[in-house]
Amino acid sequence: MRQNSYLSRFWVAVLALTVAGCGSSSTSNQPKPTGLKKRVLLSNQASNTVNLLDAQKDTFTTKNLGASSPTKLVTAGGTTLAMDNVTSQITIIDDPTEAVTFAAPIADVPFDIAITPDGKTAWAAMRNFGFVQSVNTATGIANPVLRISNARRLAMSPKGTKLLVFPDPQAQVAPNTSTFFVVDTASGAVTTVTDATHLDQPVNAVFGANETQAFILNCGPECGGTTASVVSVDFSAAPAFSANIAVFGATTGLINGTNLYVAGTATTPPAGLKPV
C-alpha cells in the first residue's frame, strides 16, 4: 500500500487561489476578513492551521484558520475544503468571510477529497475501510457512506454530476486490476468500469470540458502494471475507450485548453519514446 503523501508534513502549498468580496461581517469568535482582492490558502500541517497569503504582494498575512492536520485543499463556489491527515473529518472554510464553518465528521480518515463546482457538496475517499462519503458544506452533515473497495483518489466532473473513484492497490479489488468506479452524485449509484485492454493500474483522471469525456491516467509500471498511458473514455452511453497513448509516467495531470499535461515516475521508458 502506498502511503497517503500529498506533500511534506510541514508545508503544503495548494491550488486554493480565490477571488471574493469580503464585505460580510465575521462572527464574534472569528477574526475579521482581510479584504484581500486575491489570496492563496496554504495548509500548514505542523501548526494545524490554514494560512492566508496576499497573492498580489506575495506576502503572508497575520490571519490563520484553525484546521486539524490539514494537507490537501480544494476550492469551488466560494467554499474551500481542507483534508485532515489524522482525524476523521473535513474542515470547511467559507471563502468570503475567511472563516471555518465546520469541522465536519466523516466515517474515517480521508485519503482524498473533492468538491462539486457549486461548492455545496464535499466528497471524501476513505481507503482503509473502503468508503466514499459526501458532506453538505452548508450544514456540515455527512450522508451515508458508499462502499467502494480501496477508494483512494477522486476526480470530479466539470458540472459535478460524476465522481470517478480510483482504488489502490488495484490488486485487492475485484474483479481485476483494470478497474475504476463512477458515482452518480445525484443518486449515489455506483458503476464499475473494467477494461483490461485499455486500463493498466488506472490511478487518476482529468475531465475535459464536459461531463461525457475524461482522460484516464494509467499508472502502469509505477504501480505494478505494464505500461503507463493516457486513454480517453466517453460516458455518453456505456463507457467507450479510445486508443491508449503511451507516456513515461501517469499519476497526475492538468488540462489547459486542448493541452493535457501528465506527470509520473518512469521506471522504463515506453518503446519509441525519448526524454526531452
Side-chain angles (χ1 to χ4, degrees), residues 9-10 12 14 30-31 41-52 63-74 80-94 98-104 110 113:
R9 59 176 295 204
F10 293 107
V12 183
V14 197
Q30 291 279 3
L41 274 64
L42 302 174
S43 59
N44 186 340
Q45 188 177 355
S47 63
N48 293 318
T49 57
V50 173
N51 308 130
L52 271 68
K63 185 168 185 177
N64 300 313
L65 304 176
S68 174
S69 192
T71 52
K72 183 178 182 178
L73 302 179
V74 294
T80 295
L81 310 178
M83 187 176 77
D84 193 313
N85 196 44
V86 176
T87 309
S88 303
Q89 68 179 29
I90 300 172
T91 300
I92 301 174
I93 299 169
D94 180 70
E98 298 176 348
V100 172
T101 54
F102 298 101
I113 55 174

Side-chain angles (χ1 to χ4, degrees), residues 4-164:
N4 179 24
S5 55
Y6 279 96
L7 294 171
S8 73
R9 59 176 295 204
F10 293 107
W11 279 104
V12 183
V14 197
L15 300 170
L17 177 64
T18 58
V19 181
C22 300
S24 303
S25 61
S26 59
T27 58
S28 58
N29 61 345
Q30 291 279 3
K32 292 182 179 181
T34 59
L36 295 174
K37 292 183 178 181
K38 293 185 178 181
R39 60 195 164 199
V40 173
L41 274 64
L42 302 174
S43 59
N44 186 340
Q45 188 177 355
S47 63
N48 293 318
T49 57
V50 173
N51 308 130
L52 271 68
L53 178 73
D54 185 333
Q56 291 184 314
K57 298 180 180 179
D58 195 23
T59 57
F60 284 101
T61 70
T62 58
K63 185 168 185 177
N64 300 313
L65 304 176
S68 174
S69 192
T71 52
K72 183 178 182 178
L73 302 179
V74 294
T75 186
T79 300
T80 295
L81 310 178
M83 187 176 77
D84 193 313
N85 196 44
V86 176
T87 309
S88 303
Q89 68 179 29
I90 300 172
T91 300
I92 301 174
I93 299 169
D94 180 70
D95 292 336
T97 60
E98 298 176 348
V100 172
T101 54
F102 298 101
I106 54 177
D108 192 26
V109 177
F111 272 62
D112 197 11
I113 55 174
I115 189 170
T116 52
D118 59 10
K120 294 181 178 180
T121 307
W123 286 85
M126 293 158 279
R127 187 208 167 279
N128 290 338
F129 285 98
F131 293 156
V132 171
Q133 191 170 28
S134 63
V135 177
N136 185 321
T137 60
T139 64
I141 297 175
N143 295 309
V145 299
L146 306 176
R147 294 186 177 274
I148 299 179
S149 179
N150 287 19
R152 173 64 177 82
R153 286 193 181 175
L154 305 176
M156 180 68 67
S157 65
K159 294 184 179 179
T161 65
K162 291 182 176 65
L163 180 73
L164 305 190

